[in-house]
Amino acid sequence: MFVRTMDSEGRIVDDADGHDVRPPDGGWLWIDIRIEARPEDAVDLSARLGLDALAVRDAIEDHDLPKVDDFGDHLLMIVHGLRTDDVATYEIDCFLTAGRQVITIHQGRSPSIDALWAVAPSHPEILEGTPGELVARLADVATRRFLGVLDAFDDRIDDLVAAALEADPALIGEVTAVRADLREVRRVIQPQREVFDALRTTSSPLIGEGGRRRFADAFDVAARISAGVETARGALAETIDAYRGAEAREATEVGRVLTVYAAIMLPLTVIGGFFGMNFPGMPGTDSDRGWIWVTVLMGLVTVGSLLVFIRVGWIRPASRHGLGRGLMDAARRPVTLAGALFVRSSGARRPPRP
């Protein structure tokens, strides 16, 4: 288990456990816990911090969808973020206490938390405001990472449509991979949007007015992502329809090719059958070069038929494109801190710490 503690001034607190540290006057304390192997350690630590034991155990040991629980003197918010190595989500359990403490618990590394932790000492404006505003900033940063999935989809959809119009057989596997990525995002973004909707209208003093305003921004981002995912799913359905139409067209092309072969072979069969009759007095049967003239005639008929079919467009080459990346680029996009850096209060920003 890895524990780190930061106060509202952006200073790293020496006591990593955080349970013996008091928040600075007018400030708060952020305790981040990364679970590596023994969840019971985090349960013991959180119990010392005065949290609901059952809520802590459920939050750590169960994989929950985004939700919010208000216990009066502390509040639990569960959100999901996007990993860096795949289009997969991870859980962040965030406790907000009446003692002005923010406790985040997660399995493995969290790109969103690491990004905030890295820039907070040099950009203290991220830490301005109440603990509720910090929780809202974290929720906003974690949610904005899902915008990368939509950006990656926008980068790929033109290739998918082009492949669909060419009836590329590899398209089915690619669309399946993209659908799985979108389904993973859709599974968490809709309940996450409902969580932000509840927190932007909550009357809990733990969130405060500033936190509610920031959760309203996070709700807008989640709503945009949810709408974008539904639009992307509709675009994939249209792409599949285009693929089926192109596949039917390709089947028609196959029938056309077979028709071309039949149309070429028909006159050749007639010529061969005509000169193959064993009647005396047939033209050329008495000449040693008769078979040459018949062969030349059949060749001319073949070439002439091919030229006619090419001229009318019945014969043309086809092309193929290989695909298969899915939406992996979304997971590699950097964490966006624009929403977290924006300060809504009327006060001026504090200058960066030297």
Side-chain angles (χ1 to χ4, degrees):
M1 181 177 64
F2 173 76
V3 182
R4 54 186 176 179
T5 306
M6 177 187 295
D7 64 14
S8 55
E9 299 296 326
R11 295 187 295 261
I12 306 299
V13 180
D14 293 335
D15 184 359
D17 286 347
H19 62 281
D20 292 331
V21 179
R22 297 292 180 268
D25 294 339
W28 41 260
L29 204 64
W30 180 7
I31 305 172
D32 180 52
I33 305 173
R34 188 173 74 222
I35 308 299
E36 298 293 350
R38 299 182 56 192
E40 59 271 15
D41 292 342
V43 174
D44 295 339
L45 175 61
S46 299
R48 292 198 302 270
L49 293 171
L51 305 178
D52 184 85
L54 181 58
V56 173
R57 183 172 293 277
D58 289 343
I60 295 175
E61 296 182 353
D62 297 335
H63 188 70
D64 296 319
L65 288 175
K67 68 175 184 177
V68 57
D69 289 327
D70 193 344
F71 299 95
D73 61 341
H74 65 278
L75 180 145
L76 167 62
M77 179 191 70
I78 298 179
V79 297
H80 282 244
L82 184 66
R83 297 190 182 277
T84 57
D85 54 350
D86 195 3
V87 182
T89 64
Y90 66 96
E91 181 179 319
I92 303 176
D93 305 312
C94 186
F95 291 89
L96 180 60
T97 72
R100 304 184 65 81
Q101 290 178 326
V102 176
I103 305 166
T104 53
I105 305 174
H106 50 93
Q107 295 277 353
R109 303 189 68 88
S110 169
S112 301
I113 292 179
D114 290 346
L116 284 173
W117 202 273
V119 302
S122 58
H123 293 80
E125 62 268 21
I126 292 180
L127 307 177
E128 288 184 351
T130 64
E133 292 184 62
L134 172 64
V135 172
R137 287 189 182 99
L138 173 59
D140 181 82
V141 171
T143 304
R144 285 181 185 273
R145 291 214 68 219
F146 290 106
L147 290 173
V149 175
L150 300 181
D151 293 339
F153 179 82
D154 291 339
D155 294 340
R156 297 302 313 285
I157 187 60
D158 291 339
D159 293 338
L160 295 177
V161 171
L165 295 177
E166 296 179 1
D168 191 335
L171 177 71
I172 297 300
E174 178 63 22
V175 169
T176 301
V178 173
R179 271 182 171 174
D181 294 341
L182 292 176
R183 183 168 57 250
E184 177 68 16
V185 175
R186 183 172 182 262
R187 182 181 67 88
V188 300
I189 199 61
Q190 292 185 352
Q192 194 147 306
R193 179 187 60 183
E194 295 174 1
V195 168
F196 298 157
D197 189 25
L199 290 175
R200 70 172 179 165
T201 58
T202 183
S203 59
S204 173
L206 298 176
I207 298 299
E209 181 62 27
R212 286 192 289 270
R213 290 198 302 266
R214 288 193 175 275
F215 272 115
D217 292 339
F219 171 80
D220 293 339
V221 174
R224 184 169 52 146
I225 296 172
S226 180
V229 168
E230 295 302 324
T231 301
R233 286 165 58 87
L236 283 182
E238 294 176 357
T239 302
I240 290 296
D241 291 340
Y243 171 77
R244 290 172 178 168
E247 196 175 35
R249 186 186 69 241
E250 192 171 71
T252 302
E253 293 292 334
V254 172
R256 179 179 297 176
V257 171
L258 295 177
T259 302
V260 168
Y261 281 128
I264 292 175
M265 293 302 298
L266 180 60
L268 300 183
T269 303
V270 172
I271 294 174
F274 178 79
F275 286 98
M277 297 185 296
N278 295 322
F279 291 113
M282 290 289 295
T285 56
D286 296 333
S287 173
D288 294 337
R289 298 183 179 180
W291 68 272
I292 297 177
W293 298 112
V294 173
T295 302
V296 171
L297 175 62
M298 295 174 70
L300 292 176
V301 171
T302 301
V303 173
S305 299
L306 288 174
L307 291 176
V308 170
F309 293 140
I310 292 175
R311 181 67 179 271
V312 299
W314 282 21
I315 301 176
R316 58 178 178 268
S319 60
R320 293 289 183 267
H321 295 286
L323 298 170
R325 298 194 307 271
L327 299 179
M328 289 293 297
D329 293 343
R332 300 189 180 97
R333 294 176 185 263
V335 176
T336 302
L337 297 178
L341 289 173
F342 179 67
V343 180
R344 303 183 63 107
S345 61
S346 58
R349 293 187 177 185
R350 291 182 294 180
R353 188 181 302 278

